[in-house]
């Protein structure tokens, strides 16, 4: 029992030293090769601790080897742009001036729901306010907002002529995702499918050509086709106060 205790302490100190040597990045900020090395170190460290009959150096040597490999790869990544591209990959633009980039989403093995979640996690709910969205090599999403976001003001009201609220909060509700209607959201927003088809027909598009579409409480809708520029339009809705 004492041997297992002693091996655990030594392994902890070695792993702690190696992790400090690798830097202070959070797990979600690591480059792919850094994440792989970290996961392997975690697995290797358990081998000598769990079995008192396995020599300690069976875990120490692989950990130190991986730490050395990390240092060499990091140095190579700093010195060579080509090596950095191979080891870490390249940033990928998923939203540009034409809207959602369908081809780049496929290259990243992502679907539109993954993109919606990533955009919302970054603090944005309205695709029409985004000029560019870029997935960095560490998986983080960088969002560049359009310089002039539309502001919708409420009309002045009240018997005493009180000033209106500065802005009305609008929450986009997705109604089409990857060429398919979101039935519950159509019902919630009061948007008829005929309204969606009317807009698509005006642009000479089919439903299957549409990657994403959403609608706001004021009837303004955002459409992003798979292979043509995104655009905004207006649809008639009857449920603007329901969400």
């Amino acid at each position: 029992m004492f041997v297992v205790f002693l091996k655990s302490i030594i392994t902890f100190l070695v792993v702690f030293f190696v992790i400090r040597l690798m830097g202070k990045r959070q797990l979600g900020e690591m480059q792919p090769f850094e994440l792989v090395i970290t996961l392997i170190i975690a697995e290797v460290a358990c081998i000598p601790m769990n079995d008192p009959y396995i020599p300690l150096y069976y875990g120490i040597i692989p950990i130190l080897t991986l730490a050395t490999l990390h240092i060499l790869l990091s140095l190579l990544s700093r010195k060579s742009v080509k090596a950095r591209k191979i080891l870490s990959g390249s940033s990928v633009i998923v939203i540009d001036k034409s809207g959602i980039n369908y081809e780049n989403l496929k290259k990243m093995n992502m679907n539109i729901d993954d993109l919606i979640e990533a955009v919302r996690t970054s603090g944005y709910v309205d695709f029409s306010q985004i000029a560019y969205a870029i997935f960095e090599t560490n998986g983080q999403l960088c969002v560049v907002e359009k310089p002039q976001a539309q502001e919708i003001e409420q009309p002045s009201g009240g018997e005493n002529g009180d000033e209106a609220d500065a802005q009305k909060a609008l929450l986009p509700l997705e109604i089409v995702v990857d060429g398919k209607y979101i039935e519950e959201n159509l019902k919630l927003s009061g948007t008829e499918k005929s309204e969606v088809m009317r807009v698509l027909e005006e642009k000479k598009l089919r439903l299957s050509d549409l990657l994403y579409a959403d609608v706001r409480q004021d009837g303004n809708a955002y459409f992003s086709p798979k292979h043509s520029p995104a655009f905004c339009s207006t649809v008639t809705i009857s449920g603007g106060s329901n969400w």
Side-chain angles (χ1 to χ4, degrees), residues 32-133:
F33 76 91
E34 294 175 320
L35 179 60
V36 171
I37 289 177
T38 302
L39 293 176
I40 296 177
I41 287 177
E43 184 68 24
V44 170
C46 296
I47 296 176
M49 288 193 301
N50 294 333
D51 193 335
Y53 298 102
I54 298 179
L56 184 60
Y57 64 83
Y58 273 44
I60 301 299
I61 292 178
I63 291 174
L64 295 178
T65 301
L66 291 169
T68 303
L69 178 62
H70 175 269
I71 294 173
L72 293 176
L73 291 177
S74 298
L75 180 62
L76 181 62
S77 180
R78 288 197 301 267
K79 297 294 184 180
S80 171
V81 175
K82 186 175 182 179
R84 183 161 62 247
K85 186 174 183 179
I86 294 174
L87 292 172
S88 302
S90 303
S91 300
V92 179
I93 298 176
V94 290
I95 299 178
D96 54 27
K97 61 183 180 181
S98 297
I100 300 173
N101 193 311
Y102 180 60
E103 296 301 324
N104 284 348
L105 275 183
K106 290 197 299 183
K107 290 178 182 178
M108 296 183 64
N109 197 28
M110 292 181 63
N111 56 49
I112 186 63
D113 290 323
D114 296 329
L115 179 61
I116 293 172
E117 181 178 350
V119 168
R120 288 177 177 173
T121 302
S122 297
Y124 294 85
V125 296
D126 195 337
F127 278 84
S128 67
Q129 294 180 350
I130 298 175
Y132 294 94

